[in-house]
Amino acid sequence: MLLIPCPFCGPRDEVEFRYGGEAGIVRPKDPDALSDAEWADYLYMRHNPKGRLEERWFHVHGCRRWFTIARSTATHEIERE
Amino acid sequence: MRYSFLTLAREALSGHRGWRPLWRDAAPRGRYEVVIVGAGGHGLATAYYLARNHGITDVAVLEKGWLGGGNTARNTTIVRSNYLWDESAALYEHSLKLWEGLAEELDFNLMFSQRGVLNLAHNLHDVREGRRRVEANRRNGIDAEWLGPAEVKKLCPPIDVSPTARYPVLGATLQRRGGVARHDAVAWGYARAADARGVDIVENCEVTGFRIEAGRVRGVETTRGYIAANRVGLVAAGHSSVLAALAGFRLPIQSHPLQALVSEPLKPVLPCVVMSNAVHVYVSQSDKGELVIGAGIDAYNSYAQRGAFHVIESQMGALLELFPTFSRLKMMRSWGGIVDVCPDASPIIGKTPIENLFINCGWGTGGFKATPGSGWVFAHLLATGEPHPLAAPFALERFSTGVLVDEHGAAAVAH
Ligand SMILES: Cc1cc2nc3c(=O)[nH]c(=O)nc-3n(C[C@H](O)[C@H](O)[C@H](O)COP(=O)(O)OP(=O)(O)OC[C@H]3O[C@@H](n4cnc5c(N)ncnc54)[C@H](O)[C@@H]3O)c2cc1C
Ligand SMILES: [Zn+2]
């Protein structure tokens, strides 16, 4: 089980959180201007790296806030600033 | 025939010293017509059908570890074809039909056991969805039955069907032709048959890059040197995104841990496969007597082939909800695999943005059952450059056309 550092509540058990996947995916400003391929790229395509991943977590059973951490998908190690 | 009663008797009498390795330990050559990346069940089946159906034997299967050591060796081996949508039903049923003759064709005991698969319904929605799926399956020529709670109890006595249960069993779909198979044997059987037809199986050979010229793949860089190829097929399951990134494109895939575990061996107690999406556990009994138990993925992306304990705890809770009688059972081993999860819970089989580079992935938590069919259609693609009709709906373009094959919403998914 991961010990996830919530920036608001401190380190808490993984069971208190919901996973949000890859961070930094920005909704296009003007979706109508995109081609189907560009829209699919935003909606579905992901980096899914083996190694460092910046990802979103939601502290659903705590402060109910979203935040971003960097974690290795190869070792599960979480980076601390 | 390599395996018969006669050969078995002869070897038994001579101390089993006459068995030969199932496949050669091939050293990679500098060039092949087709290179397949990944020697799991799907990659090996692809190689076999390339040789058998298309006469193409100038083929190498490259494997970074040992043959069949990925999800092939880690899955809970449930085989069925009762998917909702026509596209999936056709593909998985083609696969199930191949399973039915496979042990004989490969001359290898796959321990394929069509003991029936129950998908339980625990609420009104499950019941409606299950009955609808039974009708859809029948219209697609797939055997499917709807059972009430008493019939479920009759078929599978240890299930608790009492109406006072927290998640009462309100009925179930049954596919009698579904069942389980010996996972390792499938990989070994295909490997031996492909090797016998001249395919090189190269273990400890990791693909680390691609040589791409003018948008067309020319070969692969590996830990055992450069290998040129006219066509390259990626069948790397959980590592598909890593290979796609090396070739310069992205996939709609997320890699997640999926865990499973087995109990101590018991006398025969569970006559069929039982799956429940609502309480979320899947269980069957192996020929050794162990209960083989699985459930859902760990939530986060990972390549670490392990998951968290709380996921196992919740699937044990689900198991005891259905089978209170298993409460004193000890669990022996647990493990994890890395599954390639696709947004619509359907595979991706088709072309990539790179010419002559093809991909077969996204089988996620449920690709073991598809091993023969997946190899069959992917061999067609690698041999002809065009998708097999059964595979055409599963191309990567469906994510931009929007024509998804949404088996998530259709329940009865996973495994
Ligand atoms: C716990 C668990 C339970 C499951 N239960 C079921 C079930 O009951 N029924 C069902 O139908 N499915 C089930 N599945 C899913 C099923 O196991 C997979 O969909 C299927 O095995 C994937 O295809 P494969 O066998 O070819 O994959 P794998 O056996 O994983 O083969 C992929 C191979 O590619 C190799 N590879 C990766 N990268 C490289 C590289 N760079 N170079 C060379 N080689 C590389 C890997 O080492 C691996 O051997 C389950 C999976 C898990 C993990
Ligand atoms: Zn918090």
Side-chain angles (χ1 to χ4, degrees), chain A residues 1-2 14-15 19 21-22 36-37 40-41 44-51 53 55 57 71 73-76, chain B residues 64 239 241-242 250-256 298-304 306 308-310 343 396 399-400 404:
Chain A
M1 194 181 302
L2 303 180
E14 182 191 332
V15 288
Y19 188 58
E22 186 175 326
D36 288 349
D41 198 68
Y44 296 119
M45 300 300 159
R46 296 293 177 262
H47 284 105
N48 191 21
K50 182 175 185 170
L53 174 66
E55 62 190 10
W57 286 90
R71 184 181 59 95
T73 61
T75 64
H76 294 178
Chain B
K64 77 177 160 77
H239 279 75
S241 299
V242 175
R250 293 204 296 171
L251 292 169
I253 297 276
Q254 303 279 20
S255 296
H256 287 275
D298 278 63
Y300 46 74
N301 290 32
S302 168
Y303 288 86
R306 62 187 147 82
F309 190 70
H310 65 90
L396 189 52
F399 295 96
S400 24
L404 304 186

Side-chain angles (χ1 to χ4, degrees), chain A residues 12-80:
Chain A
R12 314 287 297 200
D13 272 2
E14 182 191 332
V15 288
E16 295 183 12
F17 297 85
R18 209 49 70 68
Y19 188 58
E22 186 175 326
I25 298 169
V26 183
R27 188 181 167 87
K29 287 234 157 51
D30 183 6
D32 290 341
L34 299 184
S35 69
D36 288 349
E38 286 166 331
W39 180 242
D41 198 68
Y42 156 71
L43 212 53
Y44 296 119
M45 300 300 159
R46 296 293 177 262
H47 284 105
N48 191 21
K50 182 175 185 170
R52 189 175 190 277
L53 174 66
E54 287 189 12
E55 62 190 10
R56 303 288 284 162
W57 286 90
F58 176 41
H59 198 181
V60 61
H61 298 303
C63 61
R64 298 192 63 80
R65 286 204 254 187
W66 284 95
F67 58 93
T68 301
I69 60 172
R71 184 181 59 95
S72 166
T73 61
T75 64
H76 294 178
E77 190 180 345
I78 295 169
E79 281 176 26
R80 328 254 156 183

Side-chain angles (χ1 to χ4, degrees), chain B residues 37-44 62-80 83 92 205-208 235-240 242-243 246 257-260 282 294 335-340 363-371 414-415:
Chain B
V37 183
H42 289 222
L44 294 163
L62 310 181
E63 168 53 53
K64 77 177 160 77
W66 66 93
L67 182 154
N71 292 343
T72 297
R74 296 161 194 269
N75 73 85
T76 48
T77 81
I78 300 171
V79 175
R80 59 188 181 89
Y83 282 66
Y92 288 103
C205 180
E206 178 171 353
V207 169
T208 54
V235 207
H239 279 75
S240 298
V242 175
L243 285 163
L246 291 173
L258 179 63
Q259 306 186 68
Y282 316 105
W335 62 88
I338 297 303
V339 293
D340 40 342
W363 293 95
T365 59
F368 175 71
K369 67 176 74 64
T371 303
H415 315 279

Side-chain angles (χ1 to χ4, degrees), chain A residues 6 8-9 59 63:
Chain A
C6 173
F8 311 106
C9 314
H59 198 181
C63 61

